[in-house]
Amino acid sequence: MKQSYFPQEIEKKWQKIWEESGAFKTSDDSEKPKYYALSMFPYPSGKLHMGHVRNYTITDVIARFKKAQGYNVLHPMGWDSFGLPAENAAMKHGADPETWTDENIAYMTKQLKMLGLSYDWDREVTTCKPDYYKWTQWLFLQLYKKGLAYKKEAAVNWCENCATVLANEQVIDGKCWRCDGEVEKKYLSQWFLKITDYADVLLKDLDKLKGWGDNVKIMQENWIGKSHGAIIKFKVKEIEGLEVPVYTTRPDTVYGITYLVVAPEYKDIEKLTTPENKAKVEEYRANARKMSEIERLSTDRVKTGVPLGTHCINPFNGEEFPLWTADYALVEYGTGAVMAVPTHDTRDFDFAKKYNLPMKVVIENPSNPSDCKNEAYTEPGILVNSGEFNGMKNDDAKKAITEKAVKEGYGEFKTQYRLRDWLISRQRYWGAPIPVVYCDKCGIVPVDEKDLPVMLPKDVDFSVVGKSPITTSKTFAQTTCPHCGGPARRETDTMDTFVCSSWYYLRYSDAKNSEKPFDRNLANKWLPVDQYVGGIEHAILHLLYSRFFTKALRDLGLLDFDEPFKNLLTQGMVLKDGSKMSKSKGNTVDPDEIFENYGADTARLFILSDSPPARDFDWSDAGVEGCYKFLNRVWRLVASNADDISLDYSLDYPLKKDNDDLVRIVHMAIKGITNDISNDFQFNTVISKYRELTNAIYDWQGKKTNPDNEDKNVLSFAVIALLKLMSPVAVHLTEEAWHELGAKGSIHDEAWLEWDENLAKASSITLVVQVNGKVKDKIEVDEGFSQDELKEVALNSPKIKELTEGKNIVKVIVVPKKLVNIVIK
RNA sequence: GCUCCAGUGGCGGAAUCGGUAGACGCGUUGGACUUAAAAUCCAAUUGGGUGAAUAGCUCAGUGCCAGUUCAAGUCUGGCCUGGAGCACCA
């Protein structure tokens, strides 16, 4: 065995052998229990970055660990390969997005293989290929038939830079999630998926997801944004038969209404405007339209509005109050109209102050029944100035007042969600075409399933600006109606890429099926994903959409389960010098360089070593160096002792004291490492335990000048255990060493080691003796000592005797096998 | 503003149940080997006090202030700082 470690040589050699022997193929038929380990698949942007390396290494180690524990593991990989960057690259370089994408996939595949990841490449899924997007389209049609996909004219988010619309989830701080460009509102007819039908179950089922972090669940909960309240309808005084309904979560404050606000886009706003106010209202509305999302949504902005001139009547007390329009009312939420109670709502308060609108206190602060001159009182209290409800607690009044409104016919209980339907139309080329046609006679007609896929056209001009390249095709749009056979027009919008990624995890279960998206039995067998690993940035987008898809497909009868991901690990970012690695900051580290200089095993070891997976990881060159040195140290340990190590060692008890100690250290390492992986995948402590074990073997060995047979057996036991424990991480080094020691099969087919509970502890224990809670002495004691014996040992220690001399011993607390605390006065 | 998370040496971090704070590593310092270097190995490394001492002893110490307890990094209450998400959602 070579005395030096040459990772580049070893790694290439084994990658080739594993590939040729099909070492990582997964069989659908196995007696073993299944385990599905999945990383979020990447967008093929060109090259792997360290975030990918971290993500895939984590999942790979999990997959290998579970395989060693006796599971039949599914660990696939694929490409989320539709999307705008390919199209932008095409515009820039004149290449076809497909060519650009294929090249990137080829390069990144090579890199993934260099990392030594245990993927079953036979199940590779690529969303931009017709054999995949055919089924994306098919699934769209199923949703359409069920009424879960529909087209409507709506105010949508438009990114001028990307020349396309965006889903609500893709607008971050009023800007485009991808290009950071400002987002404006446009009125367009677009395709939506009815995710709001599932709002309640998406919220409720978060409780089922015991294996998800609370942070992600809370983010989804907030995004869905369920609230309970009431709809109350107000008659308009000036216009017979016209009502303005409002949604409120504070029906207890209805007696305090002093005005009512509708959004500038409110549907009846023109009817509600008197001729005298028309000019001003028109001007205000035009301004609101022009304003960008960011300006409009800024909470620091002073609220503005104009009166419409008409009035509403409060059905509870007959009071009249004016109608205004103001852009702090949102047309998309609730009814688009708000009842204003300045005394008990901070926004209404600001507005009323500015425009000198009246205020009326209806909830009294029990601890300070002062007025509401300086700020709104929004805490619980007792109703006043509220007719028959005076004296009631406001929480009770919510229900009582709504009940009155229901009984008298001008109100109802209402649950409201913040979640809006998912806008999936994109005015771009590089996506799955939405499979519908428009016929003058028949209207919207879905494409026949037998005619799928609707293929992307090739005759397009990517240099066009301001419209989708797909519209430049001479052949694509023109078609015939599947219904009447007459001339018809194809939909030229493509689907949001998040539609493609909402079901890819199902396709892996049956990646080559050409008859359907997946076989129901195979999907039911492999899913849900046992461990999903990916970035927190998908907490809402991808993870919410995928949950919705799974539930919808379950309701379509395609699946028997309704949550796709049983356990979710959201890994932290990879930082360098305290900030996120990015090209613009120039602090990126190229994985290729690391592979070349240190090998993949070093990269894998290091990326897992310093931080727990969920936390951010700070990349340091010195840290890489340290891991490389450690692997060298392990290699030398094996190489320099190769002659003394035998694969068929046997341990004959009783062992010499120092040998017994080392055997115990190994058992403790097996136990500790197994528990650390099982318990939230704490790989950083796993790796520190590799080092401890290695150090212990070196220490032990340093004392052996003339090893006898027993020593050699113990050494074999320890070194082989170290290799097996390290095999999920240092996949190449351990395999090479394993074979150098004479093994025939792969170390990756070996079963995970078991530990003996009796041996996984030191032969004696150190008793800590405290006086008044402070450590004063440590005494080696026999493990079997009773509590009384421990107490006696502690009290008889010379040090303790000295300290307790002449003092009154109030109490002695004995923690078995650990500690004695003596309380003195 | 609301919601959530996190604060431990020079640094990354460790510490199942409340029970030896600082595992393991990085860095730093000193030493061994070497003509020299690299590599490797050994030792020290929370701060203060006392001390010739790298011996011993001693005090303080896990963001701050209280509390519960024989015992608090860990539990409770209140604050401070940093990060993330949502943000005029009525």
Side-chain angles (χ1 to χ4, degrees):
Chain A
M1 184 168 179
K2 282 182 187 164
Q3 294 300 303
S4 299
Y5 170 52
F6 295 110
Q8 294 79 358
E9 236 171 74
I10 296 173
E11 293 182 358
K12 268 203 198 93
K13 171 180 146 190
W14 286 107
Q15 282 160 17
K16 191 159 170 258
I17 293 173
W18 293 330
E19 180 148 10
E20 284 167 2
S21 68
F24 305 121
K25 304 275 176 258
T26 303
S27 162
D28 289 325
D29 314 298
S30 168
E31 297 293 299
K32 297 175 182 174
K34 70 96 182 178
Y35 191 89
Y36 188 174
L38 185 65
S39 296
M40 289 181 186
F41 67 163
Y43 178 77
S45 53
K47 272 190 152 192
L48 290 187
H49 56 67
M50 281 302 166
H52 292 129
V53 172
R54 189 176 193 197
N55 190 165
Y56 309 148
T57 303
I58 290 169
T59 314
D60 190 53
V61 175
I62 294 170
R64 288 168 182 272
F65 173 69
K66 288 291 172 182
K67 184 184 166 196
Q69 282 196 321
Y71 290 89
N72 184 30
V73 173
L74 176 59
H75 183 214
M77 187 34 99
W79 308 96
D80 187 13
S81 52
F82 269 138
L84 206 48
E87 209 167 319
N88 289 341
M91 286 177 184
K92 222 173 170 180
H93 305 116
D96 185 343
E98 186 171 13
T99 314
W100 185 84
T101 304
D102 286 348
E103 282 169 8
N104 288 347
I105 289 176
Y107 190 82
M108 291 169 82
T109 303
K110 202 180 102 201
Q111 288 185 304
L112 291 176
K113 289 184 176 171
M114 282 172 77
L115 239 188
L117 301 166
S118 60
Y119 295 131
D120 179 354
W121 286 103
D122 285 353
R123 294 169 186 264
E124 184 176 4
V125 151
T126 307
T127 61
C128 68
K129 296 295 171 193
D131 68 349
Y132 184 87
Y133 72 70
K134 172 179 180 175
W135 300 114
T136 306
Q137 293 172 340
W138 186 85
L139 289 168
F140 172 88
L141 292 179
Q142 310 314 307
L143 295 173
Y144 178 75
K145 282 182 204 158
K146 252 240 147 169
L148 290 170
Y150 66 96
K151 199 175 191 200
K152 76 164 180 197
E153 172 106 5
V156 298
N157 308 300
W158 176 265
C159 173
E160 190 61 42
N161 258 349
C162 299
T164 187
V165 298
L166 300 168
N168 277 322
E169 290 79 4
Q170 292 168 334
V171 181
I172 315 287
D173 292 335
K175 294 181 184 173
C176 171
W177 70 300
R178 189 189 285 111
C179 72
D180 250 4
E182 286 201 6
V183 170
E184 0 171 343
K185 286 274 176 212
K186 269 200 178 183
Y187 280 83
L188 291 171
S189 180
Q190 300 283 293
W191 283 95
F192 290 84
L193 296 186
K194 225 172 179 178
I195 192 170
T196 52
D197 269 12
Y198 287 82
D200 202 46
V201 69
L202 284 167
L203 180 69
K204 214 172 63 208
D205 286 355
L206 286 171
D207 284 346
K208 287 190 196 168
L209 301 172
K210 306 278 182 237
W212 285 38
D214 285 339
N215 53 342
V216 178
K217 288 195 274 189
I218 287 163
M219 277 161 74
Q220 292 210 355
E221 191 180 320
N222 291 341
W223 188 262
I224 295 166
K226 184 177 186 172
S227 70
H228 298 281
I231 298 266
I232 294 168
K233 291 177 226 156
F234 296 92
K235 287 204 166 85
V236 180
K237 178 186 160 199
E238 288 84 356
I239 307 165
E240 184 73 20
L242 187 62
E243 283 182 336
V244 179
V246 304
Y247 172 71
T248 180
T249 54
R250 294 296 303 274
D252 51 322
T253 63
V254 285
Y255 286 85
I257 300 171
T258 55
Y259 64 103
L260 199 146
V261 177
V262 300
E265 303 87 354
Y266 190 72
K267 60 177 173 17
D268 290 330
I269 191 165
E270 281 170 21
K271 283 188 224 163
L272 292 166
T273 308
T274 57
E276 306 83 76
N277 291 290
K278 193 168 182 214
K280 272 198 156 170
V281 170
E282 277 309 314
E283 190 194 338
Y284 185 78
R285 294 178 67 204
N287 262 332
R289 251 197 311 277
K290 260 192 280 171
M291 216 181 292
S292 74
E293 272 295 273
I294 311 173
E295 286 173 285
R296 177 148 174 202
L297 291 181
S298 163
T299 38
D300 335 313
R301 200 165 63 86
V302 181
K303 294 179 194 352
T304 59
V306 290
L308 301 179
T310 49
H311 299 79
C312 279
I313 299 157
N314 189 335
F316 290 92
N317 57 11
E319 282 178 16
E320 284 176 22
F321 48 79
L323 267 156
W324 284 60
T325 183
D327 58 10
Y328 79 90
L330 307 174
V331 72
E332 313 96 281
Y333 187 76
T335 61
V338 187
M339 61 178 226
V341 185
T343 43
H344 305 298
D345 181 282
T346 50
R347 294 154 305 188
D348 298 343
F349 185 89
D350 294 344
F351 193 83
K353 272 262 158 182
K354 171 162 172 152
Y355 292 104
N356 248 326
L357 291 158
M359 301 195 189
K360 185 177 162 197
V361 175
V362 289
I363 310 284
E364 201 170 71
N365 180 350
S367 59
N368 175 26
S370 62
D371 55 15
C372 295
K373 277 208 176 99
N374 299 314
E375 58 178 347
Y377 178 72
T378 56
E379 300 297 304
I382 305 295
L383 266 71
V384 293
N385 299 322
S386 298
E388 66 198 88
F389 301 101
N390 280 340
M392 210 179 245
K393 278 190 194 154
N394 77 309
D395 267 342
D396 302 333
K398 283 180 185 173
K399 194 173 164 223
I401 287 178
T402 311
E403 273 166 356
K404 177 181 163 89
V406 173
K407 206 171 82 195
E408 300 185 358
Y410 46 80
E412 57 187 279
F413 286 94
K414 172 78 177 170
T415 303
Q416 183 73 37
Y417 298 91
R418 217 190 63 113
L419 183 72
R420 319 269 163 82
D421 276 341
W422 176 12
L423 167 51
I424 59 155
S425 301
R426 294 294 177 274
Q427 290 70 48
R428 305 305 322 165
Y429 169 80
W430 194 232
I434 297 172
V436 298
V437 303
Y438 302 102
C439 169
D440 286 341
K441 272 192 214 148
C442 315
I444 297 174
V445 185
V447 171
D448 259 349
E449 285 179 19
K450 66 170 170 40
D451 294 330
L452 295 180
V454 175
M455 297 279 285
L456 279 169
K458 287 285 183 186
D459 59 334
V460 294
D461 175 7
F462 290 107
S463 63
V464 292
V465 180
K467 62 174 181 174
S468 169
I470 205 170
T471 58
T472 65
S473 165
K474 301 221 160 40
T475 53
F476 185 74
Q478 211 174 42
T479 186
T480 50
C481 172
H483 195 237
C484 70
R489 226 165 6 89
R490 257 188 216 293
E491 171 63 82
T492 54
D493 284 354
T494 54
M495 284 186 243
D496 182 5
T497 58
F498 280 94
V499 178
C500 307
S501 60
S502 289
W503 73 280
Y504 78 105
Y505 48 91
L506 298 165
R507 181 72 178 171
Y508 285 133
S509 69
D510 192 13
K512 292 191 171 139
N513 198 325
S514 56
E515 304 298 313
K516 30 189 176 173
F518 47 84
D519 178 82
R520 186 195 165 114
N521 292 327
L522 285 172
N524 286 335
K525 174 195 161 80
W526 283 111
L527 277 283
V529 172
D530 292 280
Q531 185 62 54
Y532 200 27
V533 183
I536 185 76
E537 68 273 17
H538 288 110
I540 291 170
L541 287 156
H542 164 63
L543 290 168
L544 189 64
Y545 295 150
S546 295
R547 294 183 60 224
F548 159 61
F549 247 70
T550 301
K551 288 175 190 303
L553 299 192
R554 194 268 320 263
D555 291 345
L556 284 165
L558 298 170
L559 302 169
D560 290 345
F561 53 92
D562 65 353
E563 283 291 341
F565 314 121
K566 199 169 159 198
N567 296 293
L568 174 72
L569 172 62
T570 48
Q571 107 250 3
M573 285 186 298
V574 180
L575 313 176
K576 180 133 192 278
D577 313 319
S579 54
K580 189 179 178 177
M581 278 193 187
S582 73
K583 279 183 200 152
S584 56
K585 286 203 192 88
N587 62 347
T588 54
V589 176
D590 185 354
D592 284 346
E593 266 174 48
I594 305 297
F595 299 158
E596 204 174 299
N597 296 333
Y598 301 100
D601 283 346
T602 295
R604 294 171 60 106
L605 185 76
F606 177 55
I607 204 82
L608 297 176
S609 66
D610 269 0
S611 301
R615 246 194 262 184
D616 287 350
F617 177 88
D618 207 351
W619 183 275
S620 82
D621 296 334
V624 183
E625 197 73 41
C627 286
Y628 184 61
K629 284 182 183 173
F630 171 64
L631 290 181
N632 272 283
R633 196 166 143 80
V634 172
W635 181 268
R636 280 196 309 275
L637 178 64
V638 183
S640 63
N641 293 293
D643 294 342
D644 288 344
I645 297 170
S646 161
L647 293 180
D648 15 77
Y649 59 85
S650 65
L651 300 181
D652 296 317
Y653 289 89
L655 297 168
K656 284 181 276 186
K657 171 80 169 79
D658 60 337
N659 287 353
D660 181 61
D661 284 345
L662 183 63
V663 168
R664 285 172 184 276
I665 287 170
V666 174
H667 278 276
M668 281 189 266
I670 299 169
K671 179 180 176 178
I673 288 167
T674 309
N675 288 344
D676 284 355
I677 300 178
S678 310
N679 177 25
D680 285 338
F681 309 111
Q682 292 178 49
F683 295 118
N684 54 329
T685 56
V686 168
I687 284 156
S688 72
K689 285 175 174 114
Y690 292 161
R691 292 178 188 270
E692 284 175 22
L693 179 56
T694 308
N695 292 345
I697 300 173
Y698 266 109
D699 285 351
W700 171 90
Q701 194 212 21
K703 291 169 196 146
K704 301 276 177 186
T705 38
N706 246 327
D708 62 18
N709 234 5
E710 181 187 307
D711 297 333
K712 287 180 188 175
N713 277 313
V714 168
L715 178 70
S716 302
F717 168 68
V719 169
I720 288 164
L722 177 66
L723 291 176
K724 285 189 180 173
L725 290 170
M726 286 182 66
S727 67
V729 178
V731 296
H732 310 90
L733 180 148
T734 52
E735 182 81 315
E736 176 73 6
W738 181 242
H739 282 262
E740 286 289 344
L741 293 175
K744 292 284 172 283
S746 169
I747 195 167
H748 303 300
D749 292 333
E750 292 289 306
W752 192 248
L753 291 170
E754 306 278 335
W755 70 89
D756 181 331
E757 199 61 55
N758 288 317
L759 291 173
K761 58 190 171 198
S763 54
S764 66
I765 53 172
T766 307
L767 183 71
V768 174
V769 187
Q770 299 179 330
V771 174
N772 286 348
K774 300 206 165 160
V775 180
K776 294 293 176 187
D777 202 5
K778 292 172 192 179
I779 310 166
E780 289 289 308
V781 295
D782 197 90
E783 207 212 328
F785 274 23
S786 70
Q787 293 206 23
D788 285 341
E789 284 170 313
L790 290 175
K791 184 172 167 179
E792 204 184 312
V793 169
L795 289 171
N796 286 331
S797 134
K799 270 191 200 168
I800 301 302
K801 271 192 163 164
E802 203 180 302
L803 285 161
T804 53
E805 183 103 57
K807 300 275 170 56
N808 180 20
I809 296 179
V810 183
K811 204 174 184 181
V812 179
I813 284 117
V814 180
V815 183
K817 296 182 188 183
K818 246 184 200 152
L819 168 144
V820 174
N821 187 16
I822 300 158
V823 187
I824 59 171
K825 251 186 189 164

